[in-house]
Amino acid sequence: MSASPEEIAIIRAMVADGATLKAIAEALGINKQTVRRWVDAAGFPAYKRAHRHTPDTDRAMLKAASEGRSTREIAEHLEMKFETVRTRLLILAGQGITHENGREYVDPRRRFTHTEETDRIIREWTRKGRTAAAIARALGTNRSVVITRAHALLQDETAERDG
């Protein structure tokens, strides 16, 4: 099934307005994958899928940052959104992985390792009322890891005060 000129015009206008593929599909009463094929086949700027970070993109971001490139330049070079690059670099920094300290990149999907820096972040952000989910996102781990560590840190502080 191919798109009519009217359907292409509608899709072009909706993509330009920032509509999602799902919204376009619902508006036209067709499948989302059909819209994707039509967008790709029509030759106008393709609707970009959300970019997921990978160890390779993380390494490329860190390398570019160590070369002194701005976040905006890195985003343009990697064809990613500025916000995605900025957030990912902040998460990596929260894990102690930056271009400045020379620590080797570790895939964030590996088991989480607590450091003095991650403990400091957990303590500080907990005192500020940040949620465990927000802290976990910043550190590249999950809520249960943050909650467990926060409890352990609280017990240590209590033991130091009482002992």
Side-chain angles (χ1 to χ4, degrees), residues 12-80:
R12 187 182 311 266
M14 290 183 78
V15 168
D17 288 341
T20 64
L21 292 177
K22 182 178 178 182
I24 295 168
E26 288 173 357
L28 295 174
I30 58 176
N31 185 287
K32 185 172 96 172
Q33 291 307 316
T34 303
V35 174
R36 160 90 42 217
R37 271 195 324 275
W38 290 356
V39 164
D40 291 342
F44 55 90
Y47 185 88
K48 289 193 176 184
R49 296 178 187 200
H51 190 87
R52 295 188 182 272
H53 70 272
T54 65
D56 289 338
T57 58
D58 285 350
R59 281 188 204 95
M61 281 184 224
L62 292 169
K63 183 175 186 279
S66 69
E67 293 169 353
R69 290 188 183 192
S70 71
T71 305
R72 193 157 309 280
E73 290 172 330
I74 296 168
E76 289 172 6
H77 175 72
L78 296 175
E79 297 179 355
M80 297 171 71

